[in-house]
């Protein structure tokens, strides 16, 4: 039917025309038989053409246009306004009565049916089949009417049946309870009948809605303007699995999953300290995603906690889908090519950073933790560096540093040498390169860019392709394409080597976001080098370093602790032995610096001992 | 609006590098790389400059690329300098002639004797040339030498030359010019006169055997007693006075020179057997202590004493003499020392005759002067020909190879004296 | 600039000064040293270090007296509202001249050595752009970049010197007194203003953590520069000899061209030049920043950033004025360097005035 309203929402052009196509019903097969002429007529007759039959959804451009808002928005606004007015009224009534009374101000009424209807309207039930309401009689003497509300799929049915409905409906009889009036009844139900481990009181519709949407069960009792929320959360989640992007060979293999409570638990079992605090923040008007913020109270600088909270609470969006999006909202320089918060999916790494005075944010439905602040060197580290012995850890880190340099600069360096300074190459190799490039018609830069594009295609295809064909693509691409390209004289063999090594190096970088940043920067450096040779490369490197130096991550210089701190620099690139790391990293103004005694290996007669009995 | 325009301008700017040019960019296969340069007197122009341009496909080692085809292109132009030679070469060489990889510069001896090395200013000033290139003075015109430089073991002729220069470490018959560049030496003639490599070609068709009448082995370039191999020989040194060649030293003399300069490493040398003068004892000589040069007196006639200490290992004793006995050892050591002394003295005499202090005694004399003005007032190059130079050599026989007693065929019976 | 808390420490400051001064070694300054002292050029280098340290003492004293203040504020407080800005202006003008000469000098060097066909204006624009970007980010960015890039810059010098060592002939360093002690000392005096760029640190005084950082930075930076200069000159004369070293305007480039390690590592001077470009960028950035901030302080602007872009454009155009390379060298050697003495007198004057008028923190921190 044509809708006369809603220029914003949708518009049906004309309407569906009456069915023109007729045929005869075949009694034997039960199908519709249409003869040839009818089919041809459909093609030739303009009135039966597609024209008005297609469903079209177009935006006329811009909201408003002077039209009234749609009925849906009007109804929604009405509900909210009513609730708000009720709350205001009661606030004014309760104001002279003190703080306790103020907290209990809500917008429920004492009538069960009115409350139920309001909630159903709010959730667009019975249209919305997810909200289930179950009316029961609580078996007190006399019985009290109550309604249970819960969301299908988010709540644990067994707990509802066994721990809420059974006591209320069946067991209350044994106790011979009298319901009492209004709020007394509620007290009795809460304390003697509801066998749930977390029960809280909700006074207004929006908190009831929030509760319901998290998976709790709401008990509405006739005669009380309060609802009881029983915790029955059971959202569908994966079990704790392996890390997907941060594998280690020699360490724990559990990784975060999408339920933030599970993630917090994974961290908490590694840091069994009462000073480890989890605060809950909510982000997003429509998604109302829980964001858990963890920190250790006596170690973290309080200014950092306040700043993180300030930024998260200032985010006003409708949905937050994942940690990647939240990261972009709270970062210092979201347009920078290098990330200034660290996203990790390993609980052991998170625990380590928490113990060094960082703050961790857990976004619900994202299998990551956001660590703020972070430094550039943290992007080059993995958890494995500490689990291995320290020379191996240092070696790993140097390899990664080399990988960073190669991934960033090898193509540009190659172009600078081959195009601007062929004298740098030893004569024999230079002649070989010249000879292998002779049949290739394109300049070196174009060749390099083409191979780079092909490599990125391979990489992207390998990521998106369904798992069964995945390895095949990699094999086909690398062997066949490379070989065929060389033999078709489109690229020279040296170029394939350069591109392959660069690609490999960029994947040796442990941080996925940094890998992307490095890839973009590589193109930039290549461009500069093409125009100006080594001068361009030097200019690019210089600008990059300046940019990184000037960047800050939550107030900490991005290149700390190499810059911006006094004293010796430990643990930026090379790992010192674990038993020598007595102090926490110096780039945060921590409250408590010392984390282990000077003589950790006190059993060892060969270790250096101090004079003081405490040992530091 | 402005941002969009700026964004588009930036994208257009990104396309800039794809345009040809970028001022300095040269695709590597567009270069004609000169490996060696030869300079002769020119007939119409000041110099005749021969360039040896590498052919990448042949030199890169692809199978089928070698064969009978020469791996380099040789061509000669008459031009006043190497850089201006490029203009002439670009008239018929299709790629851009680049001197970046020029490793060797050959100069005809006649030119070097008469005019000196005038292209040295270009070596310092022109950025494509560099001092690490070898300068070789050749007996025949450089063009001919380059043309006949067809090595057997390598495909790249200049690599062949470079390998040849490494022989100063294992046989000491060519000067250590890779360590001290001739150009630097030329600009510091107050200290020491420069030396360069010396090369010559042989005449392959000649029937008459080469070598002089004397039974000593001849070590002069171009006169080596041999058959087969590359027609170019590089052995010995050319001595300069200023920038002109004044004389040629042969291999043995160069070795003695290296010993005096303290740049001698090792060599296998044959000396006359003191007990059987018609036979030779071969020893492996190496440097013992550093050569000590003491300036005893300065003044009108400077007096200098040079002490050379060497170590020897017996390698071949065809005469069968048992040099394991201490007495015979001493005899052998003294014989070797005296033969070496003879060569050293002859070198010094020749250099004094040429008035060229190629050994570098001036470097030791300068320590005794407090200021540059005093040194320049002394004028060492003019004092050198009158200097009294005493040399002494000491040879210690340390090892005897793998056997101790001499080897004889058993039918000759017993150990001979 | 009140209330600005600086964060540069002694380590970063000394590396900054070393980079600013040390980048001069890549130009023709070793040639000047050899010109003055001949084989005894290393003595000239040491003399210059000593003089530099002496000239830096007033700056150190001022830094300790007025911790957290830059040149502009110090001169305002000490010399009054009329004379103070005038002195700061003098320093700013000199710094601008040094920036301009440095820009042109480095451009010419890079064009001659590695990019012969590129028009110098392109390099000047690139260099100015880099300096502008860095100076905009602030003093800490300049100092910290210098610190991070130090291994590369040091590699540019150290690698060349190490790989050239086999060619060194120690006898070329004789006669030991060069042209005579009198000429050596005179040469040292004439070139003593080579470390006059230490005033850059004073101009950035507000960006340092405290007076001690400024003190350590100045002294250590000059010391490091002196050691590097002496080593460079020793190796240079030991390889090339005095006559060649006196006439070659690119001494370190000459040395790097001689690097020849077997068949593999040869002709790698372009890579070394890349490290020098980094040093040159640090120098021009630091000088541009110091000029801008001194100028801003002299005319009492609250922030120096609005001055940056016009200043950069003016300096870039001015640097293209000299006709050829020789006129740049003449300008530098005969005008800018001697005027450095005048500029070094400014802190001395300010310090005397501060002593007389009793301004500043009279307490002497250890």
């Amino acid at each position: 039917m044509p809708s006369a309203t809603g220029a914003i929402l949708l518009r049906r052009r004309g309407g569906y025309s009456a069915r023109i196509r007729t045929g005869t019903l075949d009694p034997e097969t039960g199908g519709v038989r249409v003869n040839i002429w009818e089919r041809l007529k459909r093609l030739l007759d303009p009135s039966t053409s597609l024209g008005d039959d297609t469903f079209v959804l177009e935006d006329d451009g811009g909201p408003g246009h002077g039209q009234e808002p749609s009925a849906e928005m009007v109804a929604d606004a009405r509900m909210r306004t009513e609730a708000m007015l009720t709350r205001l009224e009661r606030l004014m009534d309760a104001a002279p009565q003190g703080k306790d009374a103020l907290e209990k101000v809500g917008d429920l009424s004492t009538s069960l049916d009115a409350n139920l209807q309001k909630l159903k309207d709010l959730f667009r039930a019975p249209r919305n089949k997810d909200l289930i309401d179950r009316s029961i009689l609580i078996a007190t003497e006399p019985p009290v009417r109550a309604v249970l509300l819960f969301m299908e799929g988010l709540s644990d049915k067994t707990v509802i049946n066994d721990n809420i409905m059974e006591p209320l409906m069946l067991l209350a009889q044994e106790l011979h309870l009298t319901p009492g009036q209004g709020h007394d009844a509620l007290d009795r139900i809460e304390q003697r009948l509801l066998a749930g481990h977390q029960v809280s009181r909700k006074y207004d519709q929006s908190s009831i809605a929030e509760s319901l949407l998290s998976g709790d069960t709401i008990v509405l009792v006739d005669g009380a303007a309060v609802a009881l929320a029983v915790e029955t959360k059971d959202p569908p989640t994966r079990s704790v699995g392996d890390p997907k992007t941060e594998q280690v060979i020699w360490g724990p293999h559990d990784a975060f999953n999408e339920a933030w409570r599970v993630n917090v638990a994974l961290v908490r079992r590694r840091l069994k300290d009462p000073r480890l605090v989890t605060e809950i923040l909510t982000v997003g008007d429509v998604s109302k995603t829980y964001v858990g913020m963890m920190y250790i109270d006596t170690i973290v600088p309080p200014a950092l906690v306040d700043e993180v909270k300030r930024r998260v609470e200032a985010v006003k969006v409708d949905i937050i889908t994942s940690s990647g999006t939240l990261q972009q909202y709270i970062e210092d320089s979201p347009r920078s090519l290098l990330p200034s918060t660290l996203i990790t999916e390993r609980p052991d790494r998170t625990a380590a950073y928490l113990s060094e005075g960082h703050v961790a944010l857990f976004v619900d439905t994202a299998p990551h933790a956001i660590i703020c602040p972070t430094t550039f060197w943290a992007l080059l580290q993995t958890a494995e560096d500490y689990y291995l012995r320290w020379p191996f850890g240092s070696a790993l880190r140097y390899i990664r540093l080399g990988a960073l340099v190669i991934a960033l600069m090898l193509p540009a360096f190659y172009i600078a040498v081959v195009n601007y300074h062929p004298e740098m190459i030893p004569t024999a190799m230079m002649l070989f390169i010249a000879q292998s490039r002779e049949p290739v018609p394109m300049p070196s830069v174009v060749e390099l860019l083409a191979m780079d594009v092909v490599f990125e295609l391979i990489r992207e295809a390998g990521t998106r392709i369904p798992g069964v064909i995945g390895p095949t693509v990699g094999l086909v691409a690398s062997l066949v394409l490379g070989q065929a390209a060389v033999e078709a004289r489109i690229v020279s063999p040296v170029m394939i080597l350069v591109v392959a090594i660069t690609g490999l190096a960029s994947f040796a970088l442990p941080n996925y976001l940094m890998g992307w940043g490095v890839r973009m920067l590589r193109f930039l450096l290549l461009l500069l080098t093409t125009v100006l040779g080594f001068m361009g490369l030097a200019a690019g490197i210089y600008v990059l370093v300046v940019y990184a130096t000037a960047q800050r991550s939550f107030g900490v210089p991005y290149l700390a602790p190499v810059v911006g701190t006094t004293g010796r620099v430990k643990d930026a690139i090379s790992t010192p032995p674990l038993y020598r790391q007595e102090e926490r990293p110096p780039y945060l103004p921590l409250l408590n610096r010392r984390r282990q005694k000077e003589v950790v290996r006190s059993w060892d007669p060969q270790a250096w001992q101090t004079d003081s009995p405490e040992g530091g | 609006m402005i941002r969009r325009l700026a964004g588009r301008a930036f994208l257009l700017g990104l396309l800039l590098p794809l345009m040809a040019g970028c001022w300095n960019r040269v695709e590597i296969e567009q270069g004609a790389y000169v490996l060696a340069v030869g300079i002769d007197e020119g007939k119409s122009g000041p110099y005749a400059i021969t360039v040896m341009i590498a052919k990448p496909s042949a030199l890169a080692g692809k199978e089928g690329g070698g064969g009978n085809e020469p791996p380099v292109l040789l061509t000669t132009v008459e031009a006043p300098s190497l850089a201006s030679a490029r203009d002439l070469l670009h008239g018929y060489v299709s790629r851009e002639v680049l001197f970046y990889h020029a490793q060797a510069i050959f100069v005809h001896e006649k030119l070097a004797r008469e005019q000196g090395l005038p292209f040295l200013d270009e070596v310092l000033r022109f950025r494509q040339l560099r001092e690490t290139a070898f300068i070789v003075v050749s007996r025949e015109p450089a063009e001919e030498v380059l043309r006949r430089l067809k090595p057997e073991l390598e495909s790249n002729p200049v690599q062949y030359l470079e390998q040849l220069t490494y022989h100063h470490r294992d046989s000491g018959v060519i000067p250590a010019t890779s360590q001290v560049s001739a150009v630097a030496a030329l600009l510091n003639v107050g200290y020491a006169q420069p030396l360069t490599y010396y090369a010559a070609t042989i005449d392959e068709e000649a029937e008459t055997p080469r070598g002089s009448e004397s039974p000593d082995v001849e070590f002069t370039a171009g006169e080596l007693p041999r058959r087969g191999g590359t027609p170019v020989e590089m052995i010995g040194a050319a001595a300069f006075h200023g920038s002109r060649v004044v004389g040629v030293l042969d291999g043995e003399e160069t070795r003695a020179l290296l010993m005096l300069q303290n740049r001698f490493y090792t060599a296998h040398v044959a000396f006359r057997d003191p007990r059987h003068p018609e036979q030779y004892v071969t020893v492996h000589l190496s440097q013992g202590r550093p050569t000590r040069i003491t300036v005893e007196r300065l003044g009108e006639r400077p007096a200098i004493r040079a002490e050379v200490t060497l170590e020897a290992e017996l390698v071949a004793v065809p005469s069968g003499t048992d040099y394991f006995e201490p007495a015979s050892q001493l005899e052998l050591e003294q014989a070797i020392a005296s033969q070496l002394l003879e060569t050293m003295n002859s070198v010094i005499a020749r250099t004094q005759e040429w008035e060229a202090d190629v050994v570098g005694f001036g470097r030791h004399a300068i320590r005794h002067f407090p200021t540059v003005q005093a040194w320049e007032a002394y004028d060492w190059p003019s004092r050198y020909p009158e200097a009294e130079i005493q040399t002494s050599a000491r040879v210690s026989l340390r090892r005897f190879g793998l056997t101790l007693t001499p080897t004889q065929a058993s039918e000759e019976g017993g150990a001979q004296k | 600039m009140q209330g600005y808390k600086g964060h540069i420490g002694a380590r970063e400051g000394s590396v900054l000064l070393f980079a600013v001064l040390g980048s001069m070694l890549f130009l023709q300054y070793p040639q000047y040293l050899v010109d003055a002292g001949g084989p005894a050029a290393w003595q000239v280098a040491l003399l210059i270090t000593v003089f530099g340290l002496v000239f830096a003492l007033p700056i150190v004293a001022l830094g300790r007296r007025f911790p957290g203040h830059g040149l502009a504020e110090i001169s305002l407080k000490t010399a009054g509202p009329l004379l103070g800005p005038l002195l700061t202006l003098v320093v700013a003008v000199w710094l601008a001249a040094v920036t301009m000469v440095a820009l042109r000098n480095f451009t010419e060097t890079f064009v001659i050595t590695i990019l012969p066909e590129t028009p110098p204006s392109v390099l000047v624009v690139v260099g100015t752009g880099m300096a502008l970007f860095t100076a905009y980010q602030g003093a800490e960015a300049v100092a910290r970049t210098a610190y991070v890039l130090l291994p590369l810059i040091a590699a540019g010098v150290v690698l060349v010197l190490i790989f050239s060592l086999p060619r060194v002939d120690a006898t070329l360093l004789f006669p030991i007194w060069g042209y005579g002690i009198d000429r050596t000392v005179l040469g040292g005096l004439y070139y003593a203003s080579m470390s006059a760029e230490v005033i850059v640190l004073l101009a950035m005084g507000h960006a340092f953590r405290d007076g001690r950082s400024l003190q350590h930075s100045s002294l250590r930076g000059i010391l490091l520069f002196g050691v590097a200069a002496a080593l460079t000159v020793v190796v240079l004369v030991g390889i090339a000899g005095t006559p060649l070293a006196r006439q070659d305007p690119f001494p370190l480039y000459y040395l790097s061209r001689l690097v020849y390690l077997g068949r593999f590592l040869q002709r790698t001077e372009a890579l070394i030049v890349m490290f020098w470009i980094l040093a040159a960028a640090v120098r021009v950035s630091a000088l541009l920043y110091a000029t801008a901030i001194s100028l801003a302080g002299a005319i009492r602007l609250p922030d120096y950033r609005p001055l940056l872009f016009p200043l950069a454009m003016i300096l870039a155009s001015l640097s293209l004025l000299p006709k050829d390379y020789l006129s740049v060298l003449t300008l530098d050697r005969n005008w800018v360097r001697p005027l450095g003495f005048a500029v070094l007198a400014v802190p001395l004057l300010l310090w005397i005035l501060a002593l007389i008028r009793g301004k500043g923190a009279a307490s002497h921190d250890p």
Side-chain angles (χ1 to χ4, degrees), chain C:
Chain C
M1 268 143 321
Q2 276 98 355
Y4 181 95
K5 187 169 180 322
H7 296 287
I8 301 183
R11 230 175 12 188
E12 290 152 357
S14 48
V15 168
L16 175 66
L17 187 60
F18 173 62
V20 168
L21 290 176
S23 55
M24 294 208 287
L25 290 177
F26 303 134
L27 299 171
Q28 63 279 17
Y29 291 92
Q31 179 203 356
Y32 294 159
L33 291 179
V34 178
D35 197 31
W42 54 277
Q43 295 167 2
V44 179
L46 291 178
L47 271 178
I48 286 182
T49 319
V50 169
F51 287 137
L53 288 173
V54 165
F55 287 142
L57 286 178
I59 294 180
V60 164
L62 279 180
R64 298 260 302 256
R65 235 165 208 277
F66 300 91
H69 286 79
L71 173 67
E73 295 147 2
I74 296 178
S75 60
L76 195 62
K77 276 193 191 173
T78 319
L82 200 58
L83 188 58
L86 199 64
L87 289 175
T88 316
L89 207 59
V90 164
V91 175
V93 166
W94 184 76
L95 282 174
V98 176
T99 315
M100 176 201 122
V101 166
L103 204 53
R104 179 63 188 269
N105 205 347
F106 275 114
T107 304
E108 288 290 336
T109 306
F110 297 141
V111 164
I112 294 178
T113 56
I114 58 169
L115 290 171
E117 276 139 44
T118 313
S121 47
V122 171
L123 294 189
V124 165
V125 165
V126 169
T128 317
M130 288 199 287
L132 194 59
F133 180 67
T134 319
Y136 189 81
Q137 308 283 346
E140 277 135 16
V142 181
R144 287 174 181 171
T145 310
Y147 188 73
V148 170
L149 288 176
L150 175 70
L152 291 180
I153 298 176
V157 181
V158 168
L159 282 182
V160 173
L161 293 182
I162 289 185
F163 288 148
S164 316
L165 276 181
R167 290 175 184 262
V168 166
D169 179 7
T171 57
L172 283 170
L173 289 167
F174 288 92
I176 204 144
W177 297 114
Y179 296 120
I181 293 200
D182 48 346
R183 268 185 71 167
T184 308
V185 170
L186 271 177
L189 275 175
Y190 184 69
Y191 289 113
S193 65
M194 213 182 257
S195 47
E197 275 90 343
V198 69
I199 205 148
V200 162
L201 288 189
L202 186 62
M204 294 210 257
H206 60 276
F208 281 84
R209 233 174 245 160
D210 49 29
R212 255 184 82 213
S213 307
L214 185 60
Q215 167 190 340
H216 284 289
S217 309
S218 326
L219 298 178
R220 260 192 238 167
I222 296 182
L223 207 60
L224 281 173
F225 167 63
V227 167
L231 283 175
T232 308
V233 156
V234 161
V235 173
L236 178 65
V237 172
I239 292 183
T242 312
L244 181 55
R246 285 180 71 176
Q247 84 181 42
D248 190 339
F250 308 111
L252 267 179
Y253 186 64
Y254 173 82
L255 285 183
S256 63
R257 276 166 69 102
L258 292 179
V259 168
Y260 191 89
L261 290 176
R263 280 170 53 189
F264 171 63
L265 204 67
Q266 30 176 292
R267 302 181 280 255
T268 52
E269 71 266 6
L271 189 59
I272 314 262
V273 174
M274 188 176 90
F275 298 144
W276 300 352
I277 297 180
L278 295 174
V282 170
R283 180 181 166 90
V284 179
S285 313
L287 285 172
L288 182 66
Y289 176 81
T291 315
I293 211 160
S294 310
L295 205 55
I299 58 184
R300 312 248 205 122
L301 280 183
D303 190 23
Y304 70 97
R305 283 180 207 180
L307 281 182
L308 266 183
F309 194 63
L311 191 63
M313 285 192 47
I314 293 177
L315 288 179
S317 348
L318 279 181
S319 70
L320 287 172
L321 273 186
K323 179 165 77 72
D324 57 9
Y325 185 51
L326 192 58
S327 41
V328 175
L329 293 187
T330 325
L331 183 67
D332 183 38
R333 189 173 177 173
N334 298 343
W335 289 96
V336 175
R337 283 288 137 206
L339 281 178
F341 284 113
V343 164
L344 281 176
V346 167
L348 187 63
L349 188 64
L350 288 177
W351 183 47
I352 294 178
L353 278 175
L355 273 180
I356 295 177
R357 297 169 79 176
K359 296 289 174 68
S363 63
H364 294 273
D365 327 281

Side-chain angles (χ1 to χ4, degrees), chain B residues 1-16:
Chain B
M1 179 63 178
I2 302 276
R3 294 201 86 182
R4 241 188 306 153
L5 275 182
R8 289 199 195 146
F10 177 66
L11 281 176
L12 278 180
L14 282 184
L15 290 177
L16 264 179

